Amino acid sequence: MNETFDFSEFSKQSSKGIIVNYFIILYKVLKSSWVLIPILLTKDTSEFNFTKILLTVLAILIYILIRAILIYLNFKFKIKENAFILKQGILNKSNISVPFEKIQHVNFKQNFIQQLINVTQVEIETAGAKTVEISIKALSREKAVALKKALFAKKKEIVTIEKAKPIKETLHKISVKELLKISISENHFKSLALLFAFIFSGYMQVKDFLETLELDEKLDALLEGNASSVLGDLFLILVLFVLSFIISVIISFVTTFIRHFNLNATLEDNSLEISQGLITKQSNIIKKQKVQSIEVLTNPIQQKLGIYNVFFKQAVSGKINHKKIIKVVGCSKDQINVFKNLLFLNTNFDNEEKHKPDSYYKSQLFFRSFLFLVLLNGVFAIFSTSLFFINIFLVPLLILLVLLKYKKSYYFLNKNMLVIGSGQIGTKTTYFEHFKLQRITMKHTFFQKRKGVVNLVLQTASGKITLPCIRTKEALEMYNFMLYKSEISTEKWM
Amino acid sequence: MFENTQITSQLPDVSKLDFKAIDKKYLIVLVLNFLIFGAVISIGLFFLIEERLKEFPEYAFYFYTLVAIILMLTLVLRIFGFYKRKYAVREHDISYKKGVLVQYVTTIPFARIQHVELEEKPFSRFFKLASIKIFTAGESGGDLKVHGLPKKQAKKIKEFITHYINE
């Protein structure tokens, strides 16, 4: 069965869009007015008149409904002469026209309500100096797919969607069991450190609170029973440590499930489509030219299990928007090779020499860690001198981290690409094509100049990539070479 | 087979670029800007802290000397920094150098520029100077500003780049 959609005339969203609009406005109203609730609650309740409140709430709800309907009625879009045209606005009418070549990617999304009433949200993202983001809140699945096709096809205003199965090659699919494996093997140290700091600062406040509850005495008795207060602190820190570890594992469990549930990467006509998500289903198309760099992340445990996480970094407009960094978890090495071959021209680094940063980088890192230690001990001195014992663990840890960081940083260069390794406990590998370079900077401090090293900073449309402490001669060669590659390239870079 | 070294030796070399200093008059603009900045800071500090300092008159002298030293250092750095600001325009890119404590050399290929702006602030306008602002796509970190160009020169560069982009 085939269905035909004509986009040459203005069309509205699915009428279910009213419901979606309604909840969006309701959510916005609640979000902006929740501060008022505690104010209202602390007021004397005898002043309240229930019918008045009820009427006010009712009036607000009706206002929202009318607004939702008006938004729906005034939202029209069509395709004309290779551009997507959108009219919207109740009083402030706006007429947006986006040429096809400016469209970065088209995403499908379904939040909870949209899943319930079975409509799809289509987001059209563009990059460039001006930020234009178009979001069509409610379309039927078929219409959404047709629209996406129409936006990527050229000069087609009428699109036929075949309901027969499309030719799609599944690259990567993830089961619940694998998701579990991924979330357990994630690096919990980072979230742990954050949580620990959070709980520790919270503990200071909780302490005051406990005093008022007179629970403090019981706790003190318990701790004093364990002899000296240093031991008590140690005990408490251990408990906090274990507790926060458990919490961070749970948090990573939940977030991984919400984000990556039912992850599915498919290949269709040389374009990569990735869909994932539990509450909000999200599907993104990754176009070769939009991808500025990819990052492959793993950690020792995941490496043993053969799990690699891939970040596709695409061009962003304005501030870094994390939505445009698409994360695919739990890939195998082979799958990463497929991604690389799909996105990049030349991924052959077999004959290339591995470059390391100058050993000055190590000294720099040691110096920074030392500064950090001094600062931290200063803070300890203010709070309690008994905290100094943390240094016993901290100093070897910092030394280890510096050595690991130096060991893991390297880069490879071939005629088309740059591969940069970095990381401390985890390992991050960044792949970048020379011609996507937007700006290159060499930067050195007085000390670096004396040692003959510079930091090389590569700016892309999706952020910065820094190569720390490279010998000046090498850096200069790269500077000239990458600029040259970027300047002679005639390919589209975003 | 590709050989990196061969190409590298023939490539245009940034280190051999003939960098041009920015206009001398911009130093006056920098000093004027600094004077305003210094005045605002001093007046602000005076009103904010004078009352509190009365309680510790013995520290007041040290405090004000410290502020004065910091301000002097900033001025000295700015003046030195002025002599480090240099630019170069090639056929396909624009380069800029700056920095005293941390030195930078940066280059943007014209082909990656989204748009160019000419900016004239009041002081600069008085001396017939202008700044060129270059924007690339994506994160704002990719932008480049070259201050203190003679207005004619700045216009010429802007037109050159605009022409290049629209080609």
Side-chain angles (χ1 to χ4, degrees), chain A residues 422-445:
Chain A
S422 59
Q424 285 178 315
I425 295 166
T427 309
K428 182 164 117 183
T429 321
T430 310
Y431 297 84
F432 172 68
E433 271 184 310
H434 299 325
F435 80 94
K436 303 230 162 170
L437 182 77
Q438 290 203 147
R439 176 181 125 152
I440 188 161
T441 307
M442 272 196 295
K443 180 171 136 179
H444 55 246
T445 62

Side-chain angles (χ1 to χ4, degrees), chain A residues 83-100:
Chain A
F84 178 82
I85 291 162
L86 172 71
K87 271 189 184 175
Q88 64 172 346
I90 306 168
L91 288 175
N92 293 321
K93 303 266 184 201
S94 75
N95 197 338
I96 305 168
S97 161
V98 184
F100 281 179

Side-chain angles (χ1 to χ4, degrees), chain A residues 316-327:
Chain A
V316 289
S317 43
K319 274 185 191 166
I320 280 279
N321 184 343
H322 286 282
K323 268 195 283 179
K324 287 191 183 164
I325 298 174
I326 292 157
K327 187 179 174 188

Side-chain angles (χ1 to χ4, degrees), chain A residues 11 17-18 132 135 156 201 216 247-248 260 279 389 418 448 453:
Chain A
S11 60
I18 298 172
V132 188
S135 137
K156 258 192 207 166
S201 68
D216 197 32
I247 293 172
S248 83
H260 303 295
I279 297 168
F389 80 91
L418 180 68
Q448 282 178 316
V453 296

Side-chain angles (χ1 to χ4, degrees), chain A residues 316 318 415 435 437-446 459 461 463 476-477 479-481 483-484 487 493-494, chain B residues 2 8 11-15 92-93 101-109 111-112 136-139 141-143:
Chain A
V316 289
K415 68 169 174 172
F435 80 94
L437 182 77
Q438 290 203 147
R439 176 181 125 152
I440 188 161
T441 307
M442 272 196 295
K443 180 171 136 179
H444 55 246
T445 62
F446 171 71
Q459 184 83 43
L476 204 63
E477 267 173 25
Y479 194 105
N480 292 331
F481 180 65
L483 260 182
Y484 166 74
E487 280 162 12
W493 86 102
M494 53 166 265
Chain B
F2 168 77
T8 320
L11 283 180
D13 191 348
V14 169
S15 62
H92 296 288
D93 55 28
L101 297 178
V102 182
Q103 296 179 352
Y104 297 82
V105 189
T106 192
T107 305
I108 297 185
R112 298 286 175 265
T136 58
E139 209 193 355
D143 304 338

Side-chain angles (χ1 to χ4, degrees), chain A residues 283-338:
Chain A
S283 102
N284 301 290
I285 281 211
I286 294 174
K287 280 171 101 188
K288 182 178 165 166
Q289 80 184 65
K290 305 295 181 197
V291 174
Q292 300 295 314
S293 64
I294 67 172
E295 284 174 3
V296 179
L297 274 89
T298 187
N299 64 39
I301 300 169
Q302 293 188 323
Q303 212 165 0
K304 284 249 160 64
L305 294 168
I307 295 174
Y308 298 87
N309 302 320
V310 184
F311 288 80
F312 295 90
K313 297 186 109 181
Q314 311 197 68
V316 289
S317 43
K319 274 185 191 166
I320 280 279
N321 184 343
H322 286 282
K323 268 195 283 179
K324 287 191 183 164
I325 298 174
I326 292 157
K327 187 179 174 188
V328 177
V329 294
C331 298
S332 71
K333 264 209 159 132
D334 296 337
Q335 283 161 345
I336 287 170
N337 280 331
V338 174

